[in-house]
Amino acid sequence: MTDVLIRGARPYGEGEPCDVLVSDGVIARVLAGGELPDGDLPGGAEVIDAAGLVLLPGLVDLHTHLREPGREDTETIASGSRAAARGGYTAVFAMANTDPVADNALVVEHVWRRGREAGLVDVHPVGAVTVGLGGERLAELGTMAASAANVRVFSDDGKCVHDPLIMRRALEYSTSLDVVIAQHAEEPRLTVGAQAHEGEQAARLGYPGWPASAEESIVARDCILAAHAGARLHVCHVSTAGTAEVLAWAKGRGTRVSAEVTPHHLLLTDERLGSYDPVNKVNPPLRTAPDAEALRTALAEGVIDCVATDHAPHAVQDKDCEWAAAKPGMLGLQTALSIVVATMVRTGLLDWRGVARVMSERPAEIGGLPDHGRPIAVGEPANLVLVDPDAEWTVRGGELASIAGNTPYEGMRLPGVVTATLLRGRVTAAAGRIG
Ligand code: DOR
Ligand code: ZN
């Protein structure tokens, strides 16, 4: 395996530039402040000129929809892996709402194997909580956990495990497996026919509303269920200020709850509804500007643990249609870091160490990945990303690695460019192209 020398990067954007030598997939040397003498360079090493770049642990996404098996016309494990690598990710969790659903060992092992074949990011399948995402019968969590895919996260995402008895059983069962239940918090009785955030914008456009209470009531309920079960709960895509308050309360009383926020809920608001463009349709929906502000604060303060993309590719016919018929979801893998730079770094809410925490370290801990989100230090696995903090790029859906093109950031100029991603010392993406 070729050695890689990263010359002149600043780990976490702090201190003096240093040289990082990667050998056999691990960080072999870190020479702070000084240049590695050329005499010490292993023969044939690939050298990356990283002057001016920030070096971070490779990003980890707890919430990706890869659409394989079933909808390979919108994304495959290979195309999604390419998008992830170009976005700076070294590990992604692939949601279970595929066709067939990933609710058994056969499907999760298939996804895991396909991820290994693609070889660009570690693809960790999420197992469904209930059979067929039907919400009625617990899936065989134990078999999936014990499979080759070693499933550590279970979720019916796309749907809420709304029956409190099923949710309670899942949480109780999860404690013996030491896994986490990730909830898509949406009380379905409160979102029948919902098309957009219940508020002024939806009322003006005549869209049936998706109220904040449908999310907040489930999160409150599940925090209580998790606390009584002594279980670990993870809340997917937190979208309201009220949910952040519930999380602060639950964490304050010692509940083992973690939470994620998407880049789009940090940046975009329901003011976008006026365009009538279904590219802005997503579940949970874009909320108000005060909600987005509260989410940014909650992320900065650790009430929300991490950023997850909810990368959701959809076919043209499912997005280029009238609003009510459109499927919810937007691409996220290649734009996530830039949106975090725009909303959190440029605003002074997070420094680069904070970015490493919310996009790599915390998601790796929550998902149980021992080899990701590690310190940049000798002996650690070389799962790394180099970012140009000052460069900008223009988003073009057609140029993204995903098969689908449903990005809400089309034509936008965004700060922060992923210059290279390394998975176990191998360059998986470089300056937007696979190395
Ligand atoms: O917008 C969304 N899209 N939210 C979800 O929960 C599911 C996802 C999808 O699968 O398209
Ligand atoms: Zn969801």
Side-chain angles (χ1 to χ4, degrees):
M1 190 192 230
T2 332
D3 292 333
V4 179
L5 176 65
I6 301 167
R7 256 204 203 288
R10 293 168 70 229
Y12 308 100
E14 294 168 358
E16 294 299 309
C18 59
D19 292 345
V20 176
L21 179 65
V22 169
S23 199
D24 290 328
V26 300
I27 298 174
R29 298 182 70 170
V30 180
L31 281 128
E35 295 227 326
L36 190 72
D38 276 347
D40 279 17
L41 244 187
E46 199 175 334
V47 179
I48 301 176
D49 174 10
L53 306 185
V54 172
L55 181 63
L56 300 177
L59 309 184
V60 176
D61 189 16
L62 278 174
H63 193 144
T64 307
H65 296 275
L66 290 180
R67 306 300 191 213
E68 182 181 350
R71 285 307 300 265
E72 292 84 348
D73 58 318
T74 63
E75 194 80 290
T76 63
I77 289 167
S79 68
S81 295
R82 263 194 301 279
R86 290 187 197 182
Y89 288 89
T90 50
V92 301
F93 286 78
M95 277 298 172
N97 65 340
T98 48
D99 184 10
V101 171
D103 62 1
N104 61 75
L106 223 62
V107 178
V108 293
E109 285 187 351
H110 174 75
V111 171
W112 176 72
R113 277 208 189 89
R114 299 285 288 163
R116 289 230 305 196
E117 281 163 24
L120 296 171
V121 287
D122 287 345
V123 175
H124 295 279
V126 172
V129 176
T130 68
V131 175
L133 310 178
E136 290 183 352
R137 246 176 344 116
L138 272 194
E140 292 200 7
L141 312 193
T143 319
M144 289 187 268
S147 74
N150 186 25
V151 178
R152 299 276 53 66
V153 181
F154 291 90
S155 182
D156 273 5
D157 181 66
K159 291 197 175 160
C160 181
V161 181
H162 60 90
D163 182 328
L165 181 58
I166 298 286
M167 188 57 181
R168 182 184 171 188
R169 284 205 186 118
L171 287 164
E172 286 173 351
Y173 191 21
S174 75
T175 59
S176 58
L177 300 170
D178 193 26
V179 297
V180 64
I181 306 291
Q183 177 71 293
H184 167 118
E186 173 183 358
E187 168 48 61
R189 297 275 291 148
L190 295 177
T191 60
V192 176
Q195 291 293 333
H197 170 63
E198 185 180 275
E200 255 170 62
Q201 294 292 333
R204 201 165 54 78
L205 299 165
Y207 293 151
W210 198 129
S213 58
E215 176 173 303
E216 293 158 12
S217 57
I218 290 288
V219 175
R221 181 200 77 174
D222 287 353
C223 285
I224 291 165
L225 291 175
H228 281 283
R232 285 174 59 211
L233 168 71
H234 178 72
V235 181
C236 296
H237 42 52
V238 173
S239 70
T240 79
T243 299
E245 285 179 30
V246 173
L247 289 167
W249 165 78
K251 287 185 169 196
R253 65 199 290 268
T255 307
R256 301 168 78 197
V257 60
S258 57
E260 69 190 33
V261 61
T262 69
H264 48 272
H265 287 110
L266 291 173
L267 179 69
L268 308 177
T269 69
D270 66 347
E271 276 146 40
R272 278 210 166 201
L273 263 53
S275 72
Y276 296 96
D277 186 344
V279 80
N280 297 307
K281 183 171 173 177
V282 65
N283 187 17
L286 300 181
R287 304 288 186 184
T288 66
D291 284 307
E293 195 189 341
L295 297 174
R296 294 192 291 265
T297 306
L299 181 64
E301 291 177 349
V303 169
I304 293 174
D305 299 76
C306 63
V307 172
T309 66
D310 198 2
H311 177 83
H314 285 299
V316 174
Q317 63 270 24
D318 291 323
K319 276 304 204 181
D320 219 351
C321 56
E322 69 167 296
W323 184 281
K327 290 192 175 163
M330 26 181 82
L331 300 185
L333 284 169
Q334 278 182 261
T335 45
L337 181 63
S338 288
I339 301 299
V340 169
V341 172
T343 56
M344 303 298 295
V345 180
R346 294 272 162 109
T347 54
L349 287 167
L350 282 183
D351 55 15
W352 287 100
R353 205 165 268 275
V355 173
R357 186 177 74 244
V358 302
M359 296 192 81
S360 178
E361 293 160 11
R362 283 298 290 141
E365 282 165 18
I366 294 164
L369 303 184
D371 290 345
H372 292 268
R374 301 290 307 162
I376 298 170
V378 171
E380 296 288 354
N383 298 318
L384 300 165
V385 58
L386 280 163
V387 185
D388 188 333
D390 303 316
E392 297 189 343
W393 63 295
T394 303
V395 183
R396 303 272 174 232
E399 292 170 9
L400 299 176
S402 287
I403 295 172
N406 53 305
T407 173
Y409 312 111
E410 181 69 41
M412 276 175 73
R413 245 186 122 59
L414 298 180
V417 170
V418 172
T419 311
T421 309
L422 284 83
L423 177 66
R424 284 181 284 280
R426 195 167 67 83
V427 177
T428 52
R433 289 202 313 278
I434 300 297

